[in-house]
Amino acid sequence: MTTDVRPGPLGPEPQAPQRTRHRRILRVGSSSWVVRPRMLVTMAAAVAITLLLFLLSVGISDYPMSPVDVARVLLGGGTRIENVVVFDVSLPRALVSLLVGFGFGMAGALTQLIARNPLATPDILGITAGASAAAVAAIAFSTSWGAWLAGLGVPAAALIGGFATAIVMYVLAWPGRSANIGIDPFRLVIIGVGVTWMLQALTSYMLTRAQIADAARAQTWLVGSVSQATWSDVWPATIAVGVGVVAVIWLSRAIGILGLGSEVARGLGINAGRVTTILLIVAVLVAALCVSAAGPIAFVALLAPQIALRLTGSSLPTPLASGVIGAILVLGGDLLCRTVLPGGLPVGIVTAAIGGPCLIYLMIAMSRKATV
């Protein structure tokens, strides 16, 4: 096994070419891996913070426990009442926060890679809006025309809505005969924004026609909340994260090459159209299942990839790193709702309050970059 040091590609600031970062090439026999020390350190710190927030989230209840006590209970050393509090009350909420945050962060990184645009997230492209519209129909009209969706369950309804929206969006953005060059990013974003507004209008119309109790339940869910999470909500998010992680690892080489551009990818033997389609399907699946578990928690898919990109020094959003940052955002936001902010406040309000100014900042930064 040998290790050598070579200068890596430029960081996310192309205007300063004199600044370079180093990477290590780890060789074992005929195989080699690129090891980036900054990314490893950042990921280790992020995972440690995620674990601490997770233990704190489990420990906050009517029977409060310290992170050490929570770890002891999870490892099988708790009393009867501690086991009931942790496994039946607190653990589902903490797991949904962790998994949904990871899923939204990873889905946001994938859509930003596909569109090569930091504003291209499942929220903007209409994926979460489609999932939300179908889920609201299942929740608010379970006794009338939406009974067939309610019969399938909210996770299945959200999945159907997300995939139906993605199919419409993909067909409208299809490049025609030049399928091997992938989807036009600008066209994808513009179509996604239009689809999002139409679906939000449809959702608002359904809420005005629903019964008051059903509309109130759907409205709370639409904001994005993990306060009512149960074990039935854990499994859709677990499936989403599992499928997403496997797909990202399987397509890691193609994802890295696709980030260099469609023409470069085609020159290196990567079918950009096929890879883009697979990544879009994965992003839709992950986002729709996460929406079904906790609602469309705003701006996590936008913020997590951009924060991860700047912390790791990567030139492109990294799906796994973005997932960890997304988990931190949702776990931290939920902790704020339960400890500092007024009781009963959904976590989606916290992420929206943080994400709004960040969206303005990204738009200003993109505008300045475009004028340089």
Side-chain angles (χ1 to χ4, degrees):
M1 182 177 67
T2 61
T3 304
D4 57 12
V5 179
R6 300 181 182 179
L10 295 178
E13 298 181 358
Q15 70 274 15
Q18 69 277 10
R19 296 177 58 188
T20 59
R21 54 188 174 86
H22 290 79
R23 65 184 182 183
R24 297 179 182 274
I25 309 297
L26 180 65
R27 304 183 188 277
V28 180
S30 59
S31 302
S32 62
W33 293 271
V34 177
V35 180
R36 297 181 174 88
R38 178 175 173 178
M39 179 173 289
L40 288 178
V41 172
T42 301
M43 287 296 297
V47 170
I49 294 172
T50 303
L51 179 59
L52 177 60
L53 292 176
F54 176 77
L55 294 176
L56 288 172
S57 179
V58 176
I60 296 178
S61 64
D62 294 333
Y63 187 87
M65 290 177 283
S66 67
V68 176
D69 293 330
V70 172
R72 174 176 53 81
V73 174
L74 293 177
L75 294 175
T79 63
R80 183 175 181 179
I81 187 172
E82 288 176 338
N83 287 329
V84 171
V85 170
V86 169
F87 290 101
D88 294 344
V89 179
S90 300
L91 189 57
R93 179 171 184 169
L95 282 175
V96 169
S97 300
L98 173 68
L99 295 170
V100 166
F102 191 99
F104 278 130
M106 181 166 53
L110 291 176
T111 52
Q112 289 180 11
L113 282 169
I114 292 171
R116 297 188 292 279
N117 189 324
L119 301 180
T121 65
D123 304 327
I124 303 297
L125 298 181
I127 296 172
T128 56
S132 298
V136 166
I139 294 173
F141 297 93
S142 58
T143 59
S144 56
W145 60 268
W148 68 278
L149 284 173
L152 296 175
V154 175
L159 193 61
I160 291 172
F163 268 110
T165 305
I167 291 172
V168 172
M169 181 181 62
Y170 194 83
V171 169
L172 293 176
W174 183 254
R177 296 181 179 179
S178 304
N180 192 45
I181 65 173
I183 299 176
D184 180 11
F186 180 77
R187 186 175 181 180
L188 181 68
V189 172
I190 294 300
I191 292 173
V193 170
V195 171
T196 297
W197 281 104
M198 288 190 293
L199 289 171
Q200 288 179 347
L202 175 62
T203 302
S204 299
Y205 173 78
M206 288 191 293
L207 289 175
T208 61
R209 296 297 179 181
Q211 298 294 327
I212 295 178
D214 294 333
R217 188 160 60 99
Q219 185 62 49
T220 301
W221 181 88
L222 278 174
V223 175
S225 175
V226 295
S227 60
Q228 303 298 321
T230 62
W231 282 108
S232 61
D233 299 314
V234 173
W235 305 120
T238 302
I239 294 172
V241 171
V243 171
V245 169
V246 170
V248 166
I249 294 175
W250 175 48
L251 295 171
S252 58
R253 177 178 177 272
I255 290 174
I257 296 176
L258 188 64
L260 301 175
S262 300
E263 296 296 334
V264 175
R266 183 171 56 180
L268 295 175
I270 300 296
N271 189 320
R274 182 173 62 185
V275 173
T276 298
T277 302
I278 295 174
L279 293 180
L280 183 60
I281 291 174
V282 172
V284 171
L285 176 65
V286 172
L289 288 177
C290 289
V291 167
S292 71
I297 301 178
F299 289 110
V300 175
L302 172 72
L303 292 177
Q306 295 302 309
I307 295 174
L309 184 147
R310 286 160 174 78
L311 290 178
T312 60
S314 175
S315 58
L316 297 169
T318 306
L320 297 183
S322 302
V324 176
I325 299 300
I328 292 176
L329 289 175
V330 177
L331 284 169
D334 187 45
L335 282 174
L336 285 176
C337 292
R338 299 165 70 182
T339 57
V340 178
L341 301 176
L345 198 66
V347 66
I349 294 180
V350 176
T351 58
I354 299 173
C358 292
L359 176 61
I360 296 173
Y361 165 77
L362 283 176
M363 295 183 67
I364 293 175
M366 291 176 62
S367 177
R368 289 179 176 177
K369 186 177 179 180
T371 58
V372 173

